[in-house]
Amino acid sequence: MNRRSLGLYSLCLLLAAGVGRPVAAAEAPGLEGNWKLVLLTFNEFPFGVMSISGTATDLKGEFRSAQRQFGQPKISEVKLDGDKLRVEFLTGGRNNVFTGAVSKEGDKPILGTLRL
């Protein structure tokens, strides 16, 4: 297993709030808008930017951009259960799952883990 693979398997993911995120606390508690995904391995590595829209019970997402080596990821599921966010997406034919905790204060990063 090379250093890059080991880093990707043991990484954490940080969703940092994007610019111009609309307030939608009643519908999807602070989730609606653009989010920058950052992998925290040895340094911060930007994975890409995704957009989340919809209500808390019917969230949808799509990648606006991603690093070239990940291709064009496709989001298959965005789910909010209490304060737990789950995002499933495909990259290179593999299913990846991000799970994180959403802050009740809003406008805070969502820290979590990514299973590749």
Side-chain angles (χ1 to χ4, degrees):
M1 183 176 284
N2 65 32
R3 182 177 175 187
R4 182 170 176 249
S5 294
L6 180 61
L8 286 176
Y9 289 122
S10 63
L11 59 85
C12 288
L13 184 66
L14 168 68
L15 289 167
V19 179
R21 211 174 72 169
V23 176
E27 293 182 354
L31 292 178
E32 206 167 84
N34 294 316
W35 293 86
K36 179 179 178 184
L37 281 69
V38 178
L39 306 177
L40 299 175
T41 53
F42 303 104
N43 296 320
E44 286 189 9
F45 179 77
F47 182 95
V49 176
M50 67 180 239
S51 177
I52 296 178
S53 61
T55 64
T57 57
D58 186 30
L59 290 170
K60 299 198 182 333
E62 74 174 302
F63 273 91
R64 299 287 187 200
S65 65
Q67 289 288 339
R68 187 174 301 158
Q69 63 265 39
F70 298 115
Q72 183 57 41
K74 302 283 186 216
I75 296 177
S76 57
E77 178 184 58
V78 180
K79 187 175 186 180
L80 184 64
D81 185 14
D83 68 340
K84 302 296 182 213
L85 176 67
R86 176 184 169 89
V87 179
E88 281 190 37
F89 58 94
L90 295 169
T91 56
R94 289 186 293 215
N95 194 33
N96 306 291
V97 178
F98 168 78
T99 53
V102 177
S103 172
K104 295 188 187 318
E105 297 173 20
D107 263 359
K108 297 282 184 186
I110 299 172
L111 299 176
T113 57
L114 175 64
R115 186 187 78 221
L116 296 173

